[in-house]
Amino acid sequence: MSFLTIEHLEKSFGPNKVVKDFNLNVEKGEFVSLLGPSGCGKTTVLRMVAGFEQPSSGRIGIDGQDVVRLRPNQRSIGMVFQAYALFPNLTVAQNVGFGLKVKGTPRNVIDARVAEMLSLIGLADLGSRYPFQLSGGQQQRVALARALAPSPQVLLLDEPLSALDAKIRLSLRNEIRAIQRKLGITTIFVTHDQEEALSMSDRVVVMHQGIADQVGTPFDIYNKPATRFVAGFVGTLNTLEADVLDPKTGHVRLPGGEARLGRPLPAGRITLAARPEMITLGAAGRDTSLAGHITEVDFLGSVIRIRADLGGQSLAFDTFNISHVSPPKVGEKVTLGLNAADLLVIGD
């Protein structure tokens, strides 16, 4: 039996249903991300698990206990908010120990636990400071320690990195994941940042318009998108309209060439997709070649993103920046290569 179970969860605000028949099973110690654009319902799901919102219907179970009717302080939940939510009049140590103090924990136990948590987050020498004396990254570490201090069964993280700059975000997400693995705590992480979700998670739930469009490992979410929305939202994706010449063998006509997918396809016109990293400049070693001309070259540092026009349809692909090799120029005619097996058939 899963440690955290969410069954047929729904939430409406007036006539607007923002979460629709949401189901998820999370194993003990698993790190699961809810990924999606603003307004998709991911934070509402998190708030219902925390007890801050009452579901319109459905069940939430933690370690076999239905917690829907329990107050937030009765659920053994640790919550980390986007805006830190530290008490400005309390020191770092007092913030971290606040939950334990509310529970009536003896002072010596609180002091020992606070010292343990501050050491865990690398701020052992800053317990006497106040939040305004800390950087944004340090404040978020304190918020994490405060959530973990009472030893919750489930840790909930509501876009905790979105207010930080890129370098600190990268460092802190690695720290959060390392701490989560060390403690083995079941964790739900809400984010709109696909890189965060893919790099940190055991599994990802891609949400769209209140439903879970797809649940899977980062590898499957990226490489085997189940819906058109997931394919377009996660990563960069090229879509190409193709005419099926032979439905039995998967022979199709693409802009700039033809491909044989080697699998049955529906008759008529279909949409195929390919990731930029699956396309090469030149067709050496590839079973499919497409002719076009360069329309855009963007230098991104270690990678160069190039866009080509194939008979009215645009295709983006990436090449590594090699100092002694110049990228193609805008207007240059090129041949692009790919393997037909990498083409995805995109449905609804």
Side-chain angles (χ1 to χ4, degrees), residues 103-120:
K103 292 171 64 175
T105 305
R107 168 53 58 185
N108 64 319
V109 176
I110 294 177
D111 291 344
R113 183 62 171 169
V114 168
E116 179 185 356
M117 289 295 100
L118 291 180
S119 176
L120 182 67

Side-chain angles (χ1 to χ4, degrees), residues 31 33 80-81 120-121 137 140-145 148 155-162 164 168-185 187-190 196 199-201:
F31 192 112
S33 288
V80 179
F81 299 93
L120 182 67
I121 63 171
Q140 196 58 287
R141 288 183 180 91
V142 174
L144 176 62
L148 292 171
L155 177 65
L156 305 178
L157 302 162
D158 187 10
E159 303 207 46
L161 308 179
S162 61
L164 304 173
I168 295 175
R169 287 180 71 159
L170 178 59
S171 173
L172 193 51
R173 81 186 188 198
N174 292 336
E175 290 181 34
I176 288 174
R177 189 59 166 121
I179 290 170
Q180 186 270 338
R181 285 194 175 113
K182 181 177 180 179
L183 299 180
I185 187 170
T187 301
I188 304 294
F189 180 86
V190 162
E196 284 180 0
S199 65
M200 296 177 71
S201 310

